[in-house]
Amino acid sequence: MTAKVQNSSIPKILIVDDEPANLQVLRQILQDEYELLFAKDGARAIELAIKEDPNLILLDVMMPDVTGHEVCKTLKSMPASRSIPIIFVTAMSEVQDEEIGFNLGAVDYITKPVSPPIVKARVRTHLSLIDINEVKATRLQIVQRLGMASEYKDNETGMHVIRMSHYSQVLALAFGYTEEAAEDILNAAPMHDVGKIGIPDSIIQKPGKLSPEEWEVMKKHPEIGAEIIGDHNSSILKLARTIALTHHEKFDGTGYPYGLKGEKIPLEGRIIAVADVFDALTTVRPYKKAWEISDAIDFLRKESGTHFDPELTELFIKVMPEILEIRNKWPEEMASQR
């Protein structure tokens, strides 16, 4: 059974309980604000969750045949449903019961008999968190697409910006960044080479070595990128501008555009330098084949202290298992799925 409200802009909530009276209570509390779906057993709950993709699930624990815990475990194991927030609604209120639910992936508990104000508040809170996460995910996708625009110049797939931004996040965390600060790196890193949009295709796509004159033109792309990003109050865009300007600086001062040396290079620029070069080395480009991972690691070690910050180089190599997981998650072949 479903409530009368049918509007795609209204959040959809799946309510699961084997007692019709409990379903009716929650229906009366929520029907004026949300589209409601109902299931009286675990199997039906799983079926509706996959088919209807609700924004939130209110799930009873003690049900015959398939318990709420088993439903939660099943839904969290499947890519199509694992991101749906689940709130347990149950008479079980012991600490160990709550711990089991949270370990399975639930986001909250509401105890029976339910209080209408509490139900409304908890539902509203978790739906607002979904909105925040969607905004953040959309922002990252927009930034990645902007980064991909530059990659079409010299990389057929554009997957480079996704991999290197995740590499940068992992390296930032290893260095000691907070989760929030590392996420800022993730969001800003895709714009590191946006200045390539302003470089002629004849230079970007040249299969051979650039002439000295062509190289001077190429070296302008960090400043072009900074100009494209502009000056803003947004912390993400400020970070992106710094990254665009400084990710080609070298630790020994021989980089460009400013010839900064050592710790005078902003830390985020030094982080992106390692991540960017590693992915470039291990990816096919018009002018070269992809390097073996071991050869790329040897290169990082060789250039430690000259091109790269030594401390960051060692940390990057130390987290290589995570780096390779990211590399496997976003292979070049995924470009055809864009």
Side-chain angles (χ1 to χ4, degrees):
M1 72 180 161
T2 26
K4 293 181 180 179
V5 178
Q6 297 290 336
N7 188 319
S8 60
S9 66
I10 296 175
K12 187 186 300 182
I13 299 174
L14 170 60
I15 303 175
V16 187
D17 199 303
D18 63 309
E19 293 291 338
N22 293 332
L23 294 177
Q24 187 62 27
V25 168
L26 289 170
R27 179 190 185 119
Q28 290 175 350
I29 295 171
L30 299 170
Q31 65 182 351
D32 291 338
E33 298 180 61
Y34 306 105
E35 178 182 345
L36 303 180
L37 306 167
F38 300 91
K40 294 181 181 178
D41 60 73
R44 178 60 174 162
I46 294 169
E47 179 185 341
L48 278 176
I50 295 171
K51 180 181 178 181
E52 299 290 343
D53 189 26
N55 301 92
L56 183 68
I57 299 175
L58 300 180
L59 178 61
D60 183 29
V61 175
M62 299 302 294
M63 295 187 295
D65 299 325
V66 183
T67 69
H69 286 160
E70 291 169 331
V71 171
C72 183
K73 185 177 181 180
T74 299
L75 293 177
K76 293 302 177 183
S77 70
M78 297 186 292
S81 56
R82 69 166 55 119
S83 63
I84 304 172
I86 295 174
I87 299 176
F88 281 123
V89 184
T90 178
M92 300 169 64
S93 58
E94 296 294 327
V95 172
Q96 56 265 36
D97 296 325
E98 294 187 3
E99 184 178 1
I100 290 170
F102 288 131
N103 287 339
L104 289 171
V107 297
D108 208 344
Y109 259 86
I110 299 174
T111 56
K112 297 177 181 177
V114 299
S115 162
I118 288 177
V119 171
K120 288 182 177 182
R122 299 284 178 82
V123 166
R124 195 175 297 118
T125 295
H126 289 289
L127 289 175
S128 68
L129 291 175
I130 293 171
D131 291 340
I132 291 170
N133 289 334
E134 286 180 349
V135 168
K136 292 168 79 173
T138 300
R139 180 181 67 182
L140 176 57
Q141 289 173 3
I142 291 171
V143 169
Q144 287 174 341
R145 294 290 164 175
L146 178 60
M148 284 180 180
S150 65
E151 291 303 313
Y152 273 105
K153 289 273 196 170
D154 67 342
N155 181 311
E156 291 183 357
T157 72
M159 299 306 293
H160 166 67
V161 296
I162 296 178
R163 287 192 301 268
M164 62 78 57
S165 60
H166 282 276
Y167 295 167
S168 301
Q169 181 186 34
V170 168
L171 181 53
L173 287 169
F175 186 79
Y177 274 55
T178 64
E179 293 281 348
E180 184 178 2
E183 187 174 350
D184 285 346
I185 290 278
L186 170 71
N187 282 277
M191 290 185 275
H192 69 292
D193 265 344
V194 72
K196 286 183 178 178
I197 292 172
I199 303 300
D201 290 353
S202 60
I203 294 177
I204 290 285
Q205 297 175 352
K206 185 175 180 178
K209 187 176 179 180
L210 298 181
S211 69
E213 294 77 18
E214 290 170 332
W215 181 239
E216 288 304 313
V217 174
M218 174 65 89
K219 286 164 63 176
K220 293 179 181 178
H221 81 265
E223 292 168 294
I224 295 173
E227 186 176 344
I228 289 172
I229 295 168
D231 290 307
H232 301 275
N233 291 328
S234 164
S235 59
I236 295 294
L237 291 176
K238 283 182 178 179
L239 183 61
R241 188 176 189 278
T242 299
I243 287 171
L245 269 176
T246 63
H247 73 284
H248 280 299
E249 299 289 353
K250 294 185 178 182
F251 203 72
D252 64 359
T254 62
Y256 63 91
Y258 303 128
L260 301 178
K261 187 174 183 179
E263 294 185 1
K264 289 185 178 180
I265 305 169
L267 179 56
E268 52 267 26
R270 286 178 271 150
I271 287 173
I272 269 63
V274 178
D276 184 34
V277 170
F278 177 81
D279 193 69
L281 291 175
T282 55
T283 303
V284 174
R285 290 292 174 89
Y287 50 84
K288 72 168 190 65
K289 296 180 180 179
W291 288 27
E292 296 294 331
I293 299 298
S294 58
D295 293 334
I297 291 174
D298 288 343
F299 179 84
L300 294 182
R301 285 202 170 105
K302 178 185 175 184
E303 293 294 314
S304 177
T306 52
H307 189 155
F308 308 114
D309 181 319
E311 183 178 2
L312 291 173
T313 303
E314 286 307 309
L315 281 174
F316 190 81
I317 294 170
K318 193 172 292 185
V319 297
M320 189 56 61
E322 293 177 71
I323 299 300
L324 296 182
E325 283 183 18
I326 292 167
R327 186 172 182 270
N328 292 333
K329 186 175 181 179
W330 283 286
E332 295 296 289
E333 292 78 10
M334 281 186 66
S336 61
Q337 303 171 19
R338 286 184 316 214

